Amino acid sequence: MDNYVRIFDTTLRDGEQSPGATMTSAEKLDVARALARLGVDIIEAGFPAASPDDLEGVRQIAVEVGQPNTARPRPPLICGLARASKSDIDKAWEAVKPAARPRIHTFLATSEIHMRYKLKMDREQVIERVSEMVAYARGLCEEVEFSPEDAGRSDPEFLYLVLGEAIKAGATTLNIPDTVGYTTPDEFGALIAGILTNTPEIVNCVVSVHCHDDLGLATANTLAGLRAGARQAEVTVNGIGERAGNTSLEEVVMALHTRRPAFNLITGIDTTQIMRASKLVSNYTGFVVPPNKAIVGSNAFAHEAGIHQDGMLKHQQTYEIMRPETVGVTQTRLVLGKHSGRHALKTHLSDLGYALSEAELDKAFARFKNLADKKKVITDADLEALVADEFYQPHEVFTLDGLQVTCGTMGMPTATVRLRGPDGQVRTHAAIGTGPVDASYKAIDAIVQAPSTLLEFSVRAVTEGIDALGEVTVRIQGTNGSSHLLNAQKEVEQPRTFGGHGAETDIIVASAKAYLMALNKLLVATGKYGATEKAATAVPA
Amino acid sequence: MDNYVRIFDTTLRDGEQSPGATMTSAEKLDVARALARLGVDIIEAGFPAASPDDLEGVRQIAVEVGQPNTARPRPPLICGLARASKSDIDKAWEAVKPAARPRIHTFLATSEIHMRYKLKMDREQVIERVSEMVAYARGLCEEVEFSPEDAGRSDPEFLYLVLGEAIKAGATTLNIPDTVGYTTPDEFGALIAGILTNTPEIVNCVVSVHCHDDLGLATANTLAGLRAGARQAEVTVNGIGERAGNTSLEEVVMALHTRRPAFNLITGIDTTQIMRASKLVSNYTGFVVPPNKAIVGSNAFAHEAGIHQDGMLKHQQTYEIMRPETVGVTQTRLVLGKHSGRHALKTHLSDLGYALSEAELDKAFARFKNLADKKKVITDADLEALVADEFYQPHEVFTLDGLQVTCGTMGMPTATVRLRGPDGQVRTHAAIGTGPVDASYKAIDAIVQAPSTLLEFSVRAVTEGIDALGEVTVRIQGTNGSSHLLNAQKEVEQPRTFGGHGAETDIIVASAKAYLMALNKLLVATGKYGATEKAATAVPA
């Protein structure tokens, strides 16, 4: 058995499916580019049958990220999820076929509890459907992955049978999900070992593991599966995903890397890209990374605490098992100042992976100069916040034309907001609120008229120092109930939430921008304003 | 071997030691009370040799939480950490001896790398010191725990020898730390099994496991150690701790609970108190819990996503392996409204665990009424934020007397601040900043004159809705370098950071209060203002 572990990233499918992690098409495309830079083997780009927008989002990734180029002659496989139905498989194929290396991933539950209560099918029906649908997918696509959903709670003997049939029908990868995060490492390792021993003809397939973190065991279960012989790991950046999330890409990759002699397994990941990918996904989803998160938390490396200079700790490995540079944590934070020119900015953004058009660069440079007037030191984090704020806007239905706020301990916080509407008209409204943000949002609501509930509001300073950029993240949900998201496994629609972010040194202005961005996404999704977001969005090439 | 696992909580020692998690004495006492309610067996309350304040903090917990009462006739053991020196052990004993059930925990490193580079001792010297110091501690205290630091990277044969000597000298608990989070579950389980098999007379001791999450394996390693025969698990709430943190209390407890037949191990934890303890620790340390954190994240339970009503999912266990009620997630969020009276507030706060004096209740009621005027629905979360804001203030050197702010897109954000100083005098200052927070902080700085760097600034809405309370958390570090914190293992001083929080519907006012709280802590710590924080703090009984 070879020792290469394929990294299958499902940040854009299982990750994005978690409540509140919804991303725009432009954001997803950008995450896909980051995953390609990271060197993942397979990108599961979405669930095309969920909606025409989802299909188009996956297709766009297949077209733009799934192609060979000089930097990466062998591009990542682009994979689309499909339930075990011809219609789903057709849509998945339509979405992934422009990729140089497409894959269709289909699934059907095999645990008693899922077959009885969700599928209402018996064992024979399940086997028949799996055979038929895997064969149908294989008729379209060379690479077909099949997952027996809730494998962790399935009867192993039945699992061997189903998997054997999937292989006969042409499956090339067999993925074993612990859908509800229920197993222990010993159990999950034994399950994989049992499958490898007892499933006929399995030597011709790659066995894959897909774990969830409900009991905090996703990484350990994944590693136990790989040790037992699986050679694909399904993971997400920062471990985002439904409930407690999926297995963290960074934990599995760095455990294999740091304990190389113990595992004797390798991956194709460029570990120095881990931190950048982590920050990108955190920014776009609004899922914070806590300081004590393994690998990518701000405290993860001992030397960051400012104690590494101490003479007594001169032998680095006393308290450090990984070097921060290995995962892309860099020490040089000062990057540009107020005298830096347009060319320096362009070079720097390009190093960060942003290839802006001339027009976009003009806008970025203007914002950069404006920020440099206020803030002494501009760091990578500042630049990434600015670029995200400027270029990953959805179609702008309403834009902020002006804001004036008064607040303080005397009460009566008041905001005056001026917005430019889709008709080009400028409207102004003043409102009083319980605080400056509430007042601003009430004034915006009075003009925009899109009823919504604010689910989440948070602000963080992008860098240290009181003159830092403040990045505001909001999450709203429309109250008219018109916009829903289809969950592939549960086959139920869940209310769709919309995130917005804004980065400004004035956090009240940033709050207004973030809210307006979320409202604009909501308005576009409800179909009131024709243009789809992607047509109107400036996407870096 | 019995099947009872002792839960040893080190949130207040190894958790609090992580950069940025510094808590005040009043906050620590409150966390200790929460841990007692949770039912932990041992509370490691601190490292008394670090400073007289630390010693006093541990002593206070021994006096107030370490005593039997009608609700808990057998109180938790109160444990203090000590390096392997008489002076440290004396201080630990002084701090824990008022407890009904005191414990001293001492340690010495046993890995080659630590002995050579940190201790500069050879094996013989290490063994001699361990014998001597364990015996000395046992002369003072019935319960003595010994940890061979960096056991995960120590030579097992040497470990058996050292542990055998510790037992001879009177150790009652032997704790095996994977100090750098380096081992895999198989390795760590084998280490514990080897220790149990090869250490002379170990049957008379409890073996304990202490893991770190650098590779995301802390929970799995802890469970592997318990399965191999360890009967004490050292953990922290939310897994806080240095670098990637310690093992999460909630993950270990709920894995044992949910997979009871697989592990056949029990704990004394009241799982319904888990969520409350998690929120308390998150509020006091400012360490956020991400939505996808196992057990205690806001997304951890499937039904929270609003899809559980769906008919198809009527069989709960299809996607749910734990009931949210089991860990204390409650659905009833509405608790009090503007017409609720003083008695209702008192009863409700008492249910939440806050026993306020009449004077404190008066203050709390005034703030509650003020908030109820602004906000339709007051929830548990609002009340906890208010109480924390009001009663866990350090000694107030400077207090906010007034704040007035103007900001917006026209630029020139301006803040006027009025502070009452330690001399009772009121001073006013106006400043312009890059935003309203920067302007306020500059105005405060001009009056307070305590040079510091802002390390972190974040705001989150306490509940949903735009009229929510905004809770601001800041973390600062004095720039004069005078205040340091002693790290027990590394024996180095790290710069001490000070946190502050403020909860107001006006986030600019909350930001000013949070900053002032952190500055007050800094001023008290530098000794410029005599009163120690604890003397001046109102602590709920």
Side-chain angles (χ1 to χ4, degrees):
Chain A
M1 197 177 285
D2 73 78
N3 70 344
Y4 184 80
V5 173
R6 291 143 194 88
I7 298 296
F8 176 110
D9 183 280
T10 184
T11 305
L12 296 171
R13 205 277 302 164
D14 215 1
E16 206 249 356
Q17 192 166 295
S18 66
T22 319
M23 290 179 259
T24 66
S25 301
E27 288 169 342
K28 287 185 194 173
L29 191 55
D30 205 42
V31 169
R33 287 200 185 92
L35 294 172
R37 276 198 298 272
L38 191 56
V40 309
D41 300 276
I42 303 104
I43 296 173
E44 185 162 59
F47 173 41
S51 74
D53 271 0
D54 284 270
L55 192 156
E56 179 54 26
V58 175
R59 209 188 60 81
Q60 225 181 329
I61 290 171
V63 169
E64 304 210 15
V65 185
Q67 308 303 326
N69 59 34
T70 44
R72 196 174 156 103
R74 230 173 115 78
L77 279 105
I78 305 298
C79 177
L81 184 72
R83 286 167 296 190
S85 80
K86 284 191 180 176
S87 144
D88 267 36
I89 292 169
D90 285 339
K91 284 174 185 147
W93 176 236
E94 191 187 334
V96 299
K97 74 179 172 199
R101 307 167 65 208
R103 177 185 289 187
I104 295 171
H105 177 195
T106 188
F107 68 94
L108 199 64
T110 51
S111 68
E112 292 302 322
I113 185 170
H114 275 234
M115 289 191 289
R116 184 181 314 163
Y117 294 100
K118 188 180 112 166
L119 301 180
K120 297 177 177 61
M121 289 168 81
D122 62 24
R123 291 185 169 202
E124 287 64 37
Q125 289 171 311
V126 165
I127 286 182
E128 198 180 297
R129 175 79 68 84
V130 168
S131 283
E132 196 186 343
M133 289 305 136
V134 169
Y136 182 73
R138 184 61 196 270
L140 300 170
C141 185
E142 274 300 295
E143 289 255 7
V144 175
E145 171 168 330
F146 169 71
S147 295
E149 196 193 355
D150 204 18
R153 292 192 296 183
S154 300
D155 170 13
E157 296 294 331
F158 178 57
L159 212 48
Y160 308 150
L161 207 65
V162 174
L163 294 173
E165 292 300 317
I167 296 170
K168 269 195 239 163
T172 49
T173 298
L174 298 171
N175 176 53
I176 312 304
D178 180 20
T179 304
V180 291
Y182 184 73
T183 63
T184 65
D186 291 347
E187 291 168 351
F188 197 68
L191 177 69
I192 299 300
I195 286 169
L196 280 162
T197 310
N198 298 299
T199 307
E201 304 298 331
I202 200 154
V203 285
N204 303 315
C205 287
V206 172
V207 172
S208 167
V209 289
H210 178 116
C211 299
H212 281 268
D213 205 36
D214 296 73
L215 296 175
L217 296 171
T219 298
N221 286 347
T222 298
L223 293 172
L226 296 175
R227 190 169 261 178
R231 286 296 176 266
Q232 174 177 293
E234 301 202 358
V235 293
T236 63
V237 174
N238 299 338
I240 67 166
E242 283 194 273
R243 304 189 315 278
N246 291 59
T247 309
S248 286
L249 181 146
E250 61 276 12
E251 291 178 4
V252 170
V253 167
M254 289 311 292
L256 296 180
H257 185 271
T258 308
R259 302 305 316 278
R260 176 75 195 279
F263 290 103
N264 191 27
L265 294 170
I266 56 169
T267 72
I269 297 297
D270 175 358
T271 59
T272 64
Q273 293 288 329
I274 286 177
M275 194 56 82
R276 186 180 300 173
S278 165
K279 284 189 177 155
L280 189 75
V281 169
S282 173
N283 281 343
Y284 286 169
T285 59
F287 272 47
V288 292
V289 173
N292 57 325
K293 169 80 178 65
I295 321 292
V296 293
S298 57
N299 280 356
F301 290 95
H303 86 292
E304 290 275 32
I307 55 152
H308 65 302
Q309 340 47 351
D310 191 276
M312 207 192 49
L313 289 176
K314 58 181 165 298
H315 199 282
Q316 224 148 34
Q317 295 190 314
T318 327
Y319 287 98
E320 195 169 87
I321 60 171
M322 291 172 262
R323 300 289 308 136
E325 297 79 19
T326 313
V327 300
V329 175
T330 47
Q331 288 300 298
T332 49
R333 307 190 69 176
L334 161 63
V335 297
L336 292 169
K338 65 185 296 181
H339 300 299
S340 305
R342 196 170 174 282
H343 185 72
L345 178 69
K346 185 179 178 176
T347 309
H348 206 88
L349 284 173
S350 145
D351 287 350
L352 287 173
Y354 298 99
L356 304 193
S357 72
E358 287 302 306
E360 285 163 355
L361 188 64
D362 285 341
K363 280 172 86 177
F365 188 61
R367 282 208 65 177
F368 162 73
K369 276 300 192 189
N370 188 276
L371 180 64
D373 281 343
K374 297 179 189 160
K375 196 168 179 297
K376 278 160 287 177
V377 170
I378 313 284
T379 68
D380 281 353
D382 289 320
L383 287 183
E384 293 192 332
L386 272 192
V387 171
D389 193 41
E390 192 70 55
F391 299 107
Y392 296 98
Q393 295 290 345
H395 177 61
E396 290 200 319
V397 185
F398 287 91
T399 54
L400 185 69
D401 201 54
L403 172 69
Q404 179 182 306
V405 172
T406 316
C407 65
T409 51
M410 69 294 191
M412 294 190 296
T414 307
T416 312
V417 164
R418 194 169 58 223
L419 301 182
R420 186 175 302 274
D423 51 6
Q425 270 206 308
V426 167
R427 289 176 187 79
T428 307
H429 197 91
I432 300 172
T434 61
V437 177
D438 185 38
S440 307
Y441 286 16
K442 285 201 170 111
I444 290 171
D445 282 345
I447 301 174
V448 172
Q449 302 277 354
S452 69
T453 306
L454 185 72
L455 299 179
E456 213 179 274
F457 172 86
S458 66
V459 189
R460 60 174 197 97
V462 171
T463 48
E464 292 176 1
I466 55 172
D467 60 351
L469 269 186
E471 193 164 46
V472 176
T473 307
V474 301
R475 199 148 58 80
I476 65 171
Q477 185 175 308
T479 45
N480 55 8
S482 67
S483 187
H484 284 82
L485 192 71
L486 183 65
N487 179 305
Q489 278 100 30
K490 294 181 198 142
E491 292 196 319
V492 291
E493 302 220 310
Q494 49 195 60
R496 204 169 155 187
T497 64
F498 301 90
H501 53 89
E504 293 284 340
T505 53
D506 183 326
I507 61 172
I508 308 302
V509 177
S511 301
K513 283 191 160 182
Y515 186 53
L516 211 49
M517 179 172 172
L519 283 177
N520 282 337
K521 287 187 191 176
L522 171 67
L523 289 171
V524 169
T526 53
K528 270 195 204 147
Y529 298 90
T532 68
E533 63 185 55
K534 105 197 124 292
T537 307
V539 177
Chain B
M1 196 176 286
D2 73 80
N3 69 345
Y4 184 79
V5 173
R6 291 143 194 87
I7 298 296
F8 177 110
D9 183 280
T10 184
T11 306
L12 295 172
R13 206 276 303 163
D14 215 3
E16 205 247 356
Q17 191 166 298
S18 66
T22 318
M23 290 180 258
T24 65
S25 301
E27 287 169 344
K28 286 184 192 173
L29 190 55
D30 206 42
V31 169
R33 288 200 184 91
L35 294 172
R37 278 198 298 274
L38 191 56
V40 309
D41 301 276
I42 303 105
I43 295 174
E44 185 163 57
F47 172 40
S51 74
D53 272 1
D54 284 88
L55 194 158
E56 179 53 29
V58 174
R59 211 190 58 83
Q60 226 181 329
I61 290 170
V63 169
E64 304 209 14
V65 186
Q67 308 305 324
N69 58 33
T70 44
R72 196 175 157 102
R74 230 173 114 79
L77 279 106
I78 306 297
C79 177
L81 184 71
R83 286 167 297 190
S85 79
K86 285 191 180 175
S87 144
D88 267 36
I89 292 169
D90 285 338
K91 284 174 186 151
W93 176 237
E94 191 187 335
V96 300
K97 74 180 171 198
R101 306 166 67 209
R103 178 184 288 185
I104 294 171
H105 177 195
T106 189
F107 68 93
L108 197 65
T110 51
S111 68
E112 291 301 324
I113 185 169
H114 275 235
M115 290 190 288
R116 184 180 316 163
Y117 294 100
K118 189 179 109 165
L119 301 180
K120 299 179 176 58
M121 289 168 81
D122 62 24
R123 290 183 170 202
E124 287 65 38
Q125 290 170 311
V126 165
I127 287 182
E128 197 180 297
R129 176 79 67 85
V130 168
S131 284
E132 195 186 344
M133 290 305 137
V134 169
Y136 183 72
R138 185 61 196 270
L140 301 169
C141 185
E142 274 299 296
E143 289 254 6
V144 174
E145 171 167 331
F146 169 71
S147 296
E149 197 194 353
D150 205 18
R153 292 191 297 183
S154 301
D155 170 13
E157 297 294 332
F158 178 57
L159 214 46
Y160 308 149
L161 207 64
V162 174
L163 294 173
E165 293 299 318
I167 296 169
K168 270 196 238 163
T172 49
T173 298
L174 297 171
N175 176 53
I176 313 303
D178 180 20
T179 305
V180 291
Y182 184 73
T183 63
T184 66
D186 291 348
E187 290 168 350
F188 197 69
L191 177 69
I192 299 300
I195 286 168
L196 281 162
T197 310
N198 298 299
T199 307
E201 305 299 329
I202 200 153
V203 286
N204 303 316
C205 287
V206 172
V207 172
S208 167
V209 288
H210 177 116
C211 299
H212 281 270
D213 206 34
D214 297 72
L215 296 175
L217 295 171
T219 299
N221 286 348
T222 298
L223 294 172
L226 296 175
R227 189 170 264 178
R231 285 297 176 268
Q232 173 177 293
E234 300 202 356
V235 294
T236 62
V237 173
N238 299 338
I240 68 166
E242 282 194 273
R243 303 189 314 278
N246 290 60
T247 309
S248 286
L249 181 147
E250 61 275 12
E251 292 179 4
V252 170
V253 167
M254 290 310 293
L256 296 180
H257 186 270
T258 308
R259 303 304 317 280
R260 176 76 195 278
F263 289 101
N264 190 29
L265 293 171
I266 57 169
T267 73
I269 297 297
D270 175 359
T271 60
T272 65
Q273 292 287 331
I274 286 178
M275 195 56 84
R276 186 179 301 172
S278 165
K279 283 188 179 155
L280 190 74
V281 169
S282 172
N283 282 343
Y284 285 168
T285 60
F287 271 46
V288 293
V289 173
N292 57 324
K293 169 78 180 65
I295 321 292
V296 293
S298 56
N299 279 356
F301 292 95
H303 87 292
E304 289 276 33
I307 56 152
H308 66 302
Q309 345 38 359
D310 191 274
M312 204 192 51
L313 290 177
K314 59 181 163 299
H315 198 285
Q316 223 149 35
Q317 296 189 314
T318 328
Y319 287 99
E320 195 169 85
I321 60 172
M322 292 172 260
R323 302 287 310 135
E325 296 81 20
T326 313
V327 299
V329 176
T330 48
Q331 288 300 296
T332 49
R333 306 191 69 176
L334 161 63
V335 297
L336 293 169
K338 66 185 296 180
H339 300 299
S340 305
R342 197 169 173 283
H343 184 73
L345 178 69
K346 185 179 179 175
T347 310
H348 206 88
L349 285 174
S350 145
D351 288 351
L352 286 174
Y354 298 99
L356 303 193
S357 71
E358 287 303 304
E360 285 163 356
L361 188 64
D362 284 341
K363 281 173 84 178
F365 189 62
R367 283 207 64 176
F368 163 72
K369 276 301 193 188
N370 188 279
L371 180 64
D373 281 342
K374 297 178 189 161
K375 195 166 177 299
K376 278 159 286 178
V377 171
I378 313 285
T379 68
D380 281 353
D382 289 321
L383 287 183
E384 293 194 332
L386 272 192
V387 171
D389 194 39
E390 194 68 56
F391 299 107
Y392 296 99
Q393 294 291 344
H395 176 61
E396 290 200 320
V397 185
F398 287 90
T399 55
L400 185 69
D401 200 58
L403 173 69
Q404 179 181 307
V405 171
T406 317
C407 64
T409 51
M410 68 295 190
M412 293 189 297
T414 306
T416 311
V417 165
R418 194 169 58 224
L419 300 183
R420 186 174 301 274
D423 51 6
Q425 270 207 307
V426 167
R427 290 175 187 79
T428 308
H429 197 92
I432 300 172
T434 60
V437 177
D438 184 37
S440 307
Y441 286 16
K442 284 200 170 115
I444 290 172
D445 282 344
I447 301 174
V448 172
Q449 303 278 356
S452 69
T453 307
L454 185 72
L455 299 178
E456 212 177 276
F457 171 87
S458 66
V459 189
R460 62 177 196 93
V462 170
T463 48
E464 292 176 3
I466 55 172
D467 61 351
L469 269 185
E471 193 163 45
V472 176
T473 307
V474 301
R475 198 149 57 80
I476 66 170
Q477 185 175 307
T479 44
N480 55 7
S482 67
S483 187
H484 285 83
L485 192 71
L486 183 65
N487 180 305
Q489 278 99 30
K490 292 180 199 143
E491 293 197 317
V492 292
E493 303 222 307
Q494 49 195 63
R496 206 169 154 188
T497 63
F498 300 90
H501 53 88
E504 293 285 339
T505 53
D506 183 326
I507 60 172
I508 306 302
V509 177
S511 302
K513 283 190 160 186
Y515 187 53
L516 212 48
M517 178 172 172
L519 283 177
N520 282 337
K521 288 189 194 177
L522 171 68
L523 289 172
V524 170
T526 52
K528 269 195 207 151
Y529 298 91
T532 68
E533 64 184 54
K534 103 197 127 289
T537 309
V539 178

